[in-house]
Amino acid sequence: MSSLIQRIREWFTSILTFKINVINASAVQMHLEPKRQQLNGSALQKIDMSLIWVMIILLAWGFVMVYSASIAMPDNPKFSKLTGTYFMSRHALFLLMAGVIAFVAFQFPVSVWETMAPWLFVTSLLLLIAVLIPHVGKVVNGARRWIPLGFISFQPSEFVKFAMLLYASDYMVRKMDIKERFFVAVMPIGIAVLVVGLLLLAEPDMGAFMVIAVIAMGILFLGGVNARMFFLIAALIVMAFGAMIALSEWRRERIFAYLDPWSAEHTLGKGYQLSHSLIAFGRGEIFGVGLGGSVEKLHWLPEAHTDFLLAVIGEEFGLVGVTLVIGLFLWLTRRIMHIGRQAIALDRLFAGLVAQGVGIWIGFQAFINMGVNLGALPTKGLTLPLMSYGGSAILFNTVALAIVLRIDYESKELMRGGRQ
């Protein structure tokens, strides 16, 4: 009997011990769970979701408009072997590749990009030389700007924009102590821009050279270069571009066509694209003719899915659509510049200059493309960032914005007491 009572006592003791352990484990779990949620919430708060959503809107809208602008291209004998979804499917592939590579780029700390900056710039110069070699670079419409890589083509000039952005930012950080001395601090980066410009003009690609020059100049100015020296360099660059236009007959014709696109001499020549772009905007009026209803994309407006995508947006979505696109790019540029200023305030000079350089790049190229489409600027072969068809442009635009997101992430982590 005593042994039975002893067994019952041990059984109750084991049950009681088990319950106590379960209660203690539950208490520990309940104590740790809020901390886990807090950690997860803080991680999400370090990523600028508003910037990501604006990027997604522009990329998605661009995807729809590329399909709309290119769906009728197989009716043209030049593209008769293609299907109506050819450009859409390729653009979808470009977006997928760009998204994956941008996600990978976000994983690298900004310090890694600072270390790689000179090597990326040297690589970009080698690619610019390679594209000029016969049987290496591919000629399209008289310009040798692409390197064929199987089913896709790579455009080195887009890589140079990205590489120059990183290199100029890294250069200014290294030369910060002597930034007031022109020949020591500014001349080397000026020579680098000159070399890049000569290689780009040999393609020719004056539009890319203009963007790269503005990126470099903007970073020099934001880096604190002497104002007098900055305006002197700006004046020299303007004079250089003016001389290139004056000495090139076909560039002069573009300027004359821009000034009077409706003349009999220019309407069917250099002013053809601009005149039909303006017709597209005129047809769109306030609210547009509706998605897919554009007439100008039906073989009237050349390069409707690349350089003149905004004209198709204007025709199908009207003034409302164009205003929305302009507003999205204004917000995007302003937000990127704010991220750059915030990084500089935290003594992260390289990160701040890179972010503001991306803002200059996206904002200036969008401004030029919109001005060309609207007839406010002479015709120039620059695409609308994030929206126009083009694998290399989409890739480096998204990678640049991924680095901006990384800069913002590290700045927020630093402000919360973390480490870079």
Side-chain angles (χ1 to χ4, degrees):
M1 187 67 180
S2 61
S3 63
L4 178 62
I5 295 172
Q6 182 67 26
R7 287 182 181 179
I8 293 173
R9 184 181 297 169
E10 291 175 356
W11 182 64
F12 273 109
T13 303
S14 64
I15 291 176
L16 183 61
T17 304
F18 175 75
K19 286 185 176 181
I20 291 172
N21 291 335
V22 170
I23 292 171
N24 289 337
S26 299
V28 172
Q29 181 71 18
M30 291 175 64
H31 178 70
L32 291 177
E33 190 62 31
K35 290 187 175 181
R36 286 188 189 137
Q37 293 178 355
Q38 183 179 2
L39 287 173
N40 292 335
S42 63
L44 289 175
Q45 289 173 4
K46 293 176 187 175
I47 300 176
D48 193 330
M49 295 305 299
S50 60
L51 182 59
I52 291 177
W53 277 114
V54 171
M55 289 170 54
I56 291 174
I57 291 171
L58 288 171
L59 290 168
W61 195 357
F63 174 72
V64 172
M65 294 312 302
V66 166
Y67 179 47
S68 177
S70 63
I71 190 172
M73 290 185 70
D75 296 337
N76 188 327
K78 181 180 178 181
F79 304 101
S80 59
K81 295 182 180 180
L82 306 180
T83 63
T85 59
Y86 174 80
F87 291 99
M88 181 196 72
S89 58
R90 286 176 64 85
H91 195 68
L93 177 62
F94 296 152
L95 291 175
L96 179 61
M97 292 173 58
V100 172
I101 295 174
F103 177 77
V104 174
F106 177 82
Q107 309 306 314
F108 289 96
V110 178
S111 58
V112 174
W113 293 107
E114 186 173 7
T115 303
M116 294 193 301
W119 303 106
L120 290 173
F121 181 68
V122 172
T123 304
S124 69
L125 290 179
L126 294 176
L127 289 172
L128 281 182
I129 295 172
V131 79
L132 297 175
I133 300 174
H135 307 298
V136 175
K138 183 173 68 174
V139 179
V140 178
N141 296 328
R144 191 185 297 272
R145 302 176 185 175
W146 295 268
I147 297 177
L149 300 173
F151 64 96
I152 61 174
S153 295
F154 178 74
Q155 191 171 2
S157 60
E158 295 296 333
F159 180 36
V160 176
K161 295 175 188 176
F162 176 71
M164 176 59 75
L165 163 74
L166 295 176
Y167 177 70
S169 301
D170 174 60
Y171 180 85
M172 282 308 301
V173 172
R174 288 187 284 109
K175 300 294 183 181
M176 189 55 61
D177 295 336
I178 55 172
K179 62 184 179 181
E180 298 292 335
R181 298 164 58 187
F182 177 77
F183 288 101
V184 177
V186 180
M187 281 298 290
I189 194 71
I191 293 173
V193 173
L194 178 62
V195 171
V196 169
L198 292 174
L199 292 172
L200 287 171
L201 291 175
E203 294 183 4
D205 193 349
M206 186 175 175
F209 178 33
M210 186 181 301
V211 173
I212 288 168
V214 169
I215 291 172
M217 288 290 297
I219 291 174
L220 287 177
F221 179 74
L222 294 170
V225 170
N226 184 283
R228 293 181 181 177
M229 294 299 180
F230 173 80
F231 287 114
L232 174 61
I233 299 169
L236 291 174
I237 289 178
V238 171
M239 291 172 60
F241 279 115
M244 283 185 282
I245 294 172
L247 297 175
S248 175
E249 183 178 354
W250 64 275
R251 289 193 177 103
R252 289 200 307 272
E253 290 178 0
R254 277 191 173 186
I255 298 297
F256 295 144
Y258 153 71
L259 295 173
D260 188 11
W262 303 107
S263 67
E265 179 184 359
H266 299 134
T267 302
L268 298 177
K270 295 295 183 181
Y272 181 81
Q273 280 182 304
L274 176 55
S275 60
H276 281 279
S277 177
L278 295 175
I279 291 171
F281 284 111
R283 290 193 72 251
E285 297 183 348
I286 303 297
F287 298 103
V289 298
L291 180 62
S294 170
V295 172
E296 284 299 318
K297 69 184 181 184
L298 304 177
H299 315 306
W300 294 104
L301 181 61
E303 309 297 337
H305 61 306
T306 55
D307 299 356
F308 283 84
L309 188 69
L310 186 69
V312 180
I313 294 174
E315 187 175 1
E316 296 188 350
F317 291 93
L319 177 64
V320 174
V322 174
T323 303
L324 180 57
V325 172
I326 294 173
L328 287 171
F329 275 104
L330 280 174
W331 186 93
L332 184 69
T333 304
R334 181 178 178 276
R335 180 60 190 154
I336 294 171
M337 298 299 285
H338 172 75
I339 290 172
R341 288 196 301 270
Q342 189 178 57
I344 292 175
L346 294 171
D347 292 328
R348 304 178 64 226
L349 185 57
F350 173 79
L353 290 177
V354 168
Q356 292 185 327
V358 173
I360 293 171
W361 174 8
I362 301 293
F364 179 74
Q365 185 163 329
F367 171 77
I368 294 295
N369 179 271
M370 293 173 184
V372 167
N373 277 253
L374 292 166
L377 296 171
T379 304
K380 184 51 57 189
L382 287 174
T383 57
L384 187 60
L386 301 173
M387 298 190 75
S388 293
Y389 175 82
S392 300
I394 290 288
L395 171 62
F396 288 108
N397 287 162
T398 52
V399 168
L401 289 170
I403 294 176
V404 172
L405 287 168
R406 180 71 193 195
I407 291 168
D408 185 52
Y409 177 86
E410 292 184 5
S411 294
K412 289 177 179 176
E413 189 177 47
L414 191 62
M415 286 188 291
R416 289 172 181 269
R419 292 184 301 175
Q420 295 184 31

